[in-house]
Amino acid sequence: MSLLELKNVYKIYGDLHALDDVSLKVEKGEWVSIMGPSGSGKSTMMNIIGCMDKPSKGEVLLDGVDISKESKKNLTNIRRDKIGLIFQQFHLVNYLTAVENVMLAQYYHSIPDEKEALEALDRVGLADRAKHLPSQLSGGEQQRVCVARALINYPEIVLADEPTGNLDEANEEVVVDLFHKLHDDGTTLIVVTHDPEVAEVAQRTLVLRSGKLSKEVVNENFTGKIRFD
Ligand code: ADP
Ligand code: ADP
């Protein structure tokens, strides 16, 4: 059984098909990129996979459970349990420190544990920034806090929507290196990106056009250990 399967998924707004009969499978431990022009349905798809929105039609199976049939409340619980989210705009709470932001994700999931949150920050190389507020951190550091927040509850899938969109090249490499680490640890990664350099390190790239999957590019060179030089 695939970890994630979309079966004939549609998202329809009036007469606009934001997603138009999308079917795909993602296996456990896979690393998949999603590309496509602006307006092609990437965010719509991520919102549905991330349990933040429901399709108009079709099935979305996560661990064999059709999440398109779940109530809003259940969707929130499934999201907190199984999904780690990373956004372009970070979405950190600005009056909480780095470690408190990570602990907030624990709070919504189970019980906050500062030691574990500090370990997560250490994994992203930010142990010495734990008590800083987001405003005292660079963009790259803020995105690393987001990665720590996304991985703290050992999610089955990490979904990243333009995770390097606000970062310079050096920080982009740091974030991609963290994705390699997550992937090496067995985490399933789905990354929406406009940046071919970020996309092409994944195992495969799916391209959306006008709400339809138009192309799949398999990375024949993928070894799981490719790093930026
Ligand atoms: P992308 O992330 O690829 O830029 P989106 O998924 O954001 O694309 O949008 C896909 C299409 O759906 C766009 O044409 C967008 O305008 C439309 N759309 C997205 N959300 C809504 C909404 N809430 N109401 C109406 N149209 C929407
Ligand atoms: P176009 O014809 O407009 O260049 P394509 O359909 O060829 O678009 O590709 C769509 C998207 O897929 C582009 O954004 C491109 O960067 C990306 N892409 C194409 N080939 C690869 C590849 N080998 N690895 C990763 N991404 C790719």
Side-chain angles (χ1 to χ4, degrees), residues 35 196 200 205 207 209 215 217:
M35 295 191 89
E200 68 196 8
T205 299
V207 182
R209 263 173 210 278
K215 178 165 147 181
V217 182

